[in-house]
Amino acid sequence: MGTALVYHEDMTATRLLWDDPECEIERPERLTAALDRLRQRGLEQRCLRLSAREASEEELGLVHSPEYVSLVRETQVLGKEELQALSGQFDAIYFHPSTFHCARLAAGAGLQLVDAVLTGAVQNGLALVRPPGHHSQRAAANGFCVFNNVAIAAAHAKQKYGLHRILVVDWDVHHGQGIQYLFEDDPSVLYFSWHRYEHGRFWPFLRESDADAVGRGQGLGFTVNLPWNQFDPELVLVSAGFDSAVGDPEGQMQATPECFAHLTQLLQVLAGGRVCAVLEGGYHLESLAESVCMTVQTLLGDPAPPLSGPMVPCQSALESIQSARAAQAPHWKSLQLQDVTPVPLSPSTHSPEGRPPPLLPGGPVCKAAASAPSSLLDQPRLCPAPSVRTAVALTAPDITLVLPPDVIQQEGSALREETEAWARPHESLAREEALTALGKLLYLLDGMLDGQVNSGIAATPASAAAATLDVAVRRGLSHGAQRLLCVALGQLDRPPDLAHDGRSLWLNIRGKEAAALSMFHVSTPLPVMTSGFLSCILGLMLPLAYGFQPDLVLVALGPGHGLQGPQAALLAAVLRGLAGGRVLALLEEDSTAQLAGILARVLNGEAPPSLGPSSVASPEDVQALMYLRGQLEPQWKMLQCHPHLVA
Ligand code: X5A
Ligand code: ZN
């Protein structure tokens, strides 16, 4: 359905006119660097270009006071001295004669993006804007921000479209206190921010940036940090700051550009994929440009490049996640049922009362990341894209699929002798239909292993499902895959003679009981409730999968898999985050055309349909999950981010 890119070159006009080391990083080249790179990569050309309009004063009034809007309007006619004097009244702010115009364009860009998405003109989009917005408050500029672009967009989406649930995800390295203040008592806007905090030593040095700020009044539980599986938003707005990226002089964090592809892709499973990203911070031009490309590329539906590096969460990250979970638990049923095991807190960062003493602004901050190897930015991230994103190799000629034009219906088959050789050990593959299906699957798999095809769907007669999957796993491992993740739903057991060499990770959902048969062979019952399904996918499968870092993923819906279309779509959508999207889905031949169609579209980059609001997971679901996490957590460190039983 398309991706919008909202921009106006006038927004490069505002700039710092005097000496101010704190503000000088917020400069016009931020926009031009990002845009140039999008052009170079051919990404801009794939977007619907929208020229930003100015927000009206009435629209600014959705979140700002008339007096404050007047104050900013009047800066247009001030001289340099007066501008500097006025700027000094705010924290980390500079005004320029063009500020009012630029800031109205920035807010207007957000509004246009929301309009484009909510009228259905596009699926999602990015607004490239200056000045940024998330620190700006009802009557105050702050932290380079003049008008609160994302907050205005959220208020507009409520007012004009009557939305009741809007999720704002703020991945800027700074806490968007402006958005928090504006919506802290409003349960219709869920504000989720992650930010560098350093126990209060990182700008903007606010006590209310901590995990225990959870909103107030009606808005209790709608501020800060919580899992995205219960709110079921109608729209996702992203305060997309890239100062959390590697190399940034402000943030000094280590997120690689690829991280933003993964964040974007995870958010795309919400709100039917209606994601509006609006630029906030980001001051390292190279890192900013690459990260913006990763975001736009993912919005356009391209698979996310795999993450590299050790998949081991650090102690301090675990503590933060645990604090946020604990603070939110009273307000979210989905967090209460889980047996929350507190992460042992390291004594160095916590005083005996459990809370660190208040710290002064400007105090020592962790410099560990300051020496971040900029090599993280140098690694080649331009692997040649496969010529075919998704291919469908179904056998039943009578099923008519509704597919996007770029999804290929594969005709080819592997050579007959070769197919027979692979089939020979399996009785169930002796039948002609099974052999035909296997030939098509092998041909598709080879296309994926050769790098011509990114993802695909193949079908097999139900009676041959287990044998076909067995062949696919062996063929994958012997023809180029180093590590293969197999997610098998229904009655598809791990082949007993498959080597236990750590090159395959087998997850069977629908196992008779929860069992970690080995570190690489996990079996769990199919959860009964939607939310149990979500926890299983997000809280078990995904941490294992990210920890394993496969380069090929097989997902098989075998006999009795019991998945509805939307559940299968969600499963495929999150699995696409692994292996650069190299995912092969295996279906039973008599699956509905609808199921095959939805899987093909999701593997091709379309957003999965929303699962709808989910109730609480059943006690059995929770128990199975907690048990498995407890068993597996010693080996799979990514599971430490989730509550687990201490084994
Ligand atoms: C939008 C943004 C940061 C202000 C930092 C002031 N503002 N030290 O990233
Ligand atoms: Zn920032």
Side-chain angles (χ1 to χ4, degrees), residues 595-619:
L595 185 62
I598 202 173
L599 279 173
R601 290 194 301 273
V602 167
L603 287 179
N604 197 46
E606 252 177 62
S610 158
L611 289 185
S614 51
S615 52
V616 184
S618 75

mmCIF file of all heavy atoms in Angstrom, residues 595-619:
data_model
loop_
_atom_site.group_PDB
_atom_site.id
_atom_site.type_symbol
_atom_site.label_atom_id
_atom_site.label_comp_id
_atom_site.label_asym_id
_atom_site.label_seq_id
_atom_site.Cartn_x
_atom_site.Cartn_y
_atom_site.Cartn_z
ATOM 1 N N LEU A 595 -5.180 -18.884 3.869
ATOM 2 C CA LEU A 595 -3.994 -19.014 4.723
ATOM 3 C C LEU A 595 -2.714 -18.850 3.902
ATOM 4 O O LEU A 595 -1.791 -18.130 4.291
ATOM 5 C CB LEU A 595 -4.010 -20.374 5.432
ATOM 6 C CG LEU A 595 -2.895 -20.604 6.447
ATOM 7 C CD1 LEU A 595 -2.972 -19.617 7.587
ATOM 8 C CD2 LEU A 595 -2.930 -22.026 6.985
ATOM 9 N N ALA A 596 -2.674 -19.509 2.740
ATOM 10 C CA ALA A 596 -1.493 -19.388 1.884
ATOM 11 C C ALA A 596 -1.309 -17.940 1.442
ATOM 12 O O ALA A 596 -0.188 -17.416 1.431
ATOM 13 C CB ALA A 596 -1.630 -20.300 0.672
ATOM 14 N N GLY A 597 -2.408 -17.293 1.091
ATOM 15 C CA GLY A 597 -2.339 -15.911 0.609
ATOM 16 C C GLY A 597 -1.808 -14.974 1.682
ATOM 17 O O GLY A 597 -0.926 -14.149 1.437
ATOM 18 N N ILE A 598 -2.332 -15.102 2.881
ATOM 19 C CA ILE A 598 -1.942 -14.191 3.957
ATOM 20 C C ILE A 598 -0.462 -14.403 4.302
ATOM 21 O O ILE A 598 0.292 -13.448 4.517
ATOM 22 C CB ILE A 598 -2.882 -14.373 5.189
ATOM 23 C CG1 ILE A 598 -2.862 -13.130 6.064
ATOM 24 C CG2 ILE A 598 -2.506 -15.549 6.023
ATOM 25 C CD1 ILE A 598 -3.893 -13.202 7.178
ATOM 26 N N LEU A 599 -0.018 -15.657 4.310
ATOM 27 C CA LEU A 599 1.391 -15.926 4.608
ATOM 28 C C LEU A 599 2.305 -15.368 3.525
ATOM 29 O O LEU A 599 3.348 -14.788 3.820
ATOM 30 C CB LEU A 599 1.620 -17.426 4.761
ATOM 31 C CG LEU A 599 1.244 -17.991 6.113
ATOM 32 C CD1 LEU A 599 1.337 -19.512 6.118
ATOM 33 C CD2 LEU A 599 2.145 -17.418 7.204
ATOM 34 N N ALA A 600 1.896 -15.524 2.280
ATOM 35 C CA ALA A 600 2.717 -15.002 1.181
ATOM 36 C C ALA A 600 2.832 -13.489 1.293
ATOM 37 O O ALA A 600 3.910 -12.913 1.128
ATOM 38 C CB ALA A 600 2.108 -15.390 -0.157
ATOM 39 N N ARG A 601 1.732 -12.834 1.601
ATOM 40 C CA ARG A 601 1.767 -11.372 1.682
ATOM 41 C C ARG A 601 2.634 -10.903 2.853
ATOM 42 O O ARG A 601 3.389 -9.941 2.739
ATOM 43 C CB ARG A 601 0.344 -10.812 1.780
ATOM 44 C CG ARG A 601 -0.440 -10.961 0.465
ATOM 45 C CD ARG A 601 -1.701 -10.107 0.447
ATOM 46 N NE ARG A 601 -2.606 -10.441 1.541
ATOM 47 C CZ ARG A 601 -3.532 -11.398 1.482
ATOM 48 N NH1 ARG A 601 -3.673 -12.114 0.380
ATOM 49 N NH2 ARG A 601 -4.314 -11.628 2.504
ATOM 50 N N VAL A 602 2.512 -11.587 3.982
ATOM 51 C CA VAL A 602 3.325 -11.183 5.140
ATOM 52 C C VAL A 602 4.814 -11.436 4.883
ATOM 53 O O VAL A 602 5.657 -10.587 5.166
ATOM 54 C CB VAL A 602 2.852 -11.910 6.419
ATOM 55 C CG1 VAL A 602 3.867 -11.750 7.542
ATOM 56 C CG2 VAL A 602 1.497 -11.372 6.859
ATOM 57 N N LEU A 603 5.139 -12.595 4.310
ATOM 58 C CA LEU A 603 6.556 -12.860 4.011
ATOM 59 C C LEU A 603 7.083 -11.848 3.005
ATOM 60 O O LEU A 603 8.256 -11.513 2.993
ATOM 61 C CB LEU A 603 6.737 -14.284 3.474
ATOM 62 C CG LEU A 603 6.589 -15.396 4.515
ATOM 63 C CD1 LEU A 603 6.765 -16.760 3.865
ATOM 64 C CD2 LEU A 603 7.572 -15.221 5.667
ATOM 65 N N ASN A 604 6.203 -11.323 2.185
ATOM 66 C CA ASN A 604 6.594 -10.327 1.188
ATOM 67 C C ASN A 604 6.677 -8.918 1.778
ATOM 68 O O ASN A 604 7.001 -7.970 1.090
ATOM 69 C CB ASN A 604 5.592 -10.371 0.035
ATOM 70 C CG ASN A 604 6.117 -9.682 -1.210
ATOM 71 O OD1 ASN A 604 7.260 -9.900 -1.594
ATOM 72 N ND2 ASN A 604 5.301 -8.830 -1.822
ATOM 73 N N GLY A 605 6.326 -8.773 3.052
ATOM 74 C CA GLY A 605 6.526 -7.480 3.695
ATOM 75 C C GLY A 605 5.260 -6.750 4.088
ATOM 76 O O GLY A 605 5.318 -5.652 4.645
ATOM 77 N N GLU A 606 4.095 -7.342 3.807
ATOM 78 C CA GLU A 606 2.862 -6.682 4.230
ATOM 79 C C GLU A 606 2.650 -6.871 5.731
ATOM 80 O O GLU A 606 3.067 -7.874 6.307
ATOM 81 C CB GLU A 606 1.674 -7.294 3.480
ATOM 82 C CG GLU A 606 1.104 -6.365 2.439
ATOM 83 C CD GLU A 606 -0.014 -7.025 1.656
ATOM 84 O OE1 GLU A 606 -1.031 -7.389 2.257
ATOM 85 O OE2 GLU A 606 0.166 -7.183 0.431
ATOM 86 N N ALA A 607 1.981 -5.921 6.349
ATOM 87 C CA ALA A 607 1.725 -6.018 7.781
ATOM 88 C C ALA A 607 0.678 -7.096 8.045
ATOM 89 O O ALA A 607 -0.277 -7.228 7.284
ATOM 90 C CB ALA A 607 1.230 -4.676 8.309
ATOM 91 N N PRO A 608 0.859 -7.874 9.118
ATOM 92 C CA PRO A 608 -0.174 -8.849 9.469
ATOM 93 C C PRO A 608 -1.384 -8.137 10.055
ATOM 94 O O PRO A 608 -1.247 -7.039 10.586
ATOM 95 C CB PRO A 608 0.512 -9.710 10.532
ATOM 96 C CG PRO A 608 1.526 -8.819 11.153
ATOM 97 C CD PRO A 608 1.963 -7.852 10.074
ATOM 98 N N PRO A 609 -2.566 -8.748 9.922
ATOM 99 C CA PRO A 609 -3.731 -8.113 10.535
ATOM 100 C C PRO A 609 -3.589 -8.113 12.047
ATOM 101 O O PRO A 609 -2.898 -8.967 12.606
ATOM 102 C CB PRO A 609 -4.888 -9.020 10.102
ATOM 103 C CG PRO A 609 -4.267 -10.332 9.753
ATOM 104 C CD PRO A 609 -2.873 -10.040 9.295
ATOM 105 N N SER A 610 -4.221 -7.139 12.701
ATOM 106 C CA SER A 610 -4.162 -7.085 14.158
ATOM 107 C C SER A 610 -4.874 -8.309 14.738
ATOM 108 O O SER A 610 -5.863 -8.784 14.203
ATOM 109 C CB SER A 610 -4.841 -5.796 14.620
ATOM 110 O OG SER A 610 -5.256 -5.953 15.960
ATOM 111 N N LEU A 611 -4.328 -8.830 15.849
ATOM 112 C CA LEU A 611 -4.970 -9.975 16.501
ATOM 113 C C LEU A 611 -6.165 -9.534 17.329
ATOM 114 O O LEU A 611 -6.905 -10.365 17.831
ATOM 115 C CB LEU A 611 -3.984 -10.687 17.425
ATOM 116 C CG LEU A 611 -2.856 -11.484 16.802
ATOM 117 C CD1 LEU A 611 -2.073 -12.210 17.881
ATOM 118 C CD2 LEU A 611 -3.369 -12.474 15.786
ATOM 119 N N GLY A 612 -6.338 -8.261 17.501
ATOM 120 C CA GLY A 612 -7.412 -7.761 18.341
ATOM 121 C C GLY A 612 -6.972 -7.752 19.783
ATOM 122 O O GLY A 612 -5.937 -8.320 20.132
ATOM 123 N N PRO A 613 -7.753 -7.101 20.639
ATOM 124 C CA PRO A 613 -7.355 -7.034 22.046
ATOM 125 C C PRO A 613 -7.334 -8.439 22.614
ATOM 126 O O PRO A 613 -8.206 -9.252 22.318
ATOM 127 C CB PRO A 613 -8.456 -6.192 22.687
ATOM 128 C CG PRO A 613 -9.594 -6.236 21.731
ATOM 129 C CD PRO A 613 -9.044 -6.511 20.372
ATOM 130 N N SER A 614 -6.324 -8.751 23.408
ATOM 131 C CA SER A 614 -6.270 -10.098 23.941
ATOM 132 C C SER A 614 -6.460 -10.052 25.442
ATOM 133 O O SER A 614 -6.028 -9.127 26.114
ATOM 134 C CB SER A 614 -4.934 -10.748 23.598
ATOM 135 O OG SER A 614 -3.886 -9.890 23.975
ATOM 136 N N SER A 615 -7.121 -11.064 25.911
ATOM 137 C CA SER A 615 -7.335 -11.138 27.352
ATOM 138 C C SER A 615 -6.102 -11.750 27.990
ATOM 139 O O SER A 615 -5.071 -11.883 27.377
ATOM 140 C CB SER A 615 -8.567 -11.994 27.626
ATOM 141 O OG SER A 615 -8.409 -13.208 26.932
ATOM 142 N N VAL A 616 -6.238 -12.142 29.226
ATOM 143 C CA VAL A 616 -5.092 -12.664 29.963
ATOM 144 C C VAL A 616 -4.804 -14.103 29.540
ATOM 145 O O VAL A 616 -5.714 -14.867 29.232
ATOM 146 C CB VAL A 616 -5.400 -12.598 31.472
ATOM 147 C CG1 VAL A 616 -4.200 -13.034 32.274
ATOM 148 C CG2 VAL A 616 -5.820 -11.203 31.844
ATOM 149 N N ALA A 617 -3.546 -14.468 29.541
ATOM 150 C CA ALA A 617 -3.165 -15.840 29.219
ATOM 151 C C ALA A 617 -3.718 -16.790 30.276
ATOM 152 O O ALA A 617 -3.884 -16.425 31.429
ATOM 153 C CB ALA A 617 -1.647 -15.953 29.162
ATOM 154 N N SER A 618 -4.006 -18.009 29.855
ATOM 155 C CA SER A 618 -4.521 -18.987 30.814
ATOM 156 C C SER A 618 -3.387 -19.423 31.746
ATOM 157 O O SER A 618 -2.219 -19.371 31.379
ATOM 158 C CB SER A 618 -5.045 -20.207 30.066
ATOM 159 O OG SER A 618 -3.955 -20.974 29.612
ATOM 160 N N PRO A 619 -3.726 -19.870 32.949
ATOM 161 C CA PRO A 619 -2.682 -20.305 33.886
ATOM 162 C C PRO A 619 -1.805 -21.408 33.293
ATOM 163 O O PRO A 619 -0.595 -21.425 33.514
ATOM 164 C CB PRO A 619 -3.467 -20.826 35.093
ATOM 165 C CG PRO A 619 -4.805 -20.183 34.990
ATOM 166 C CD PRO A 619 -5.068 -19.924 33.537
#
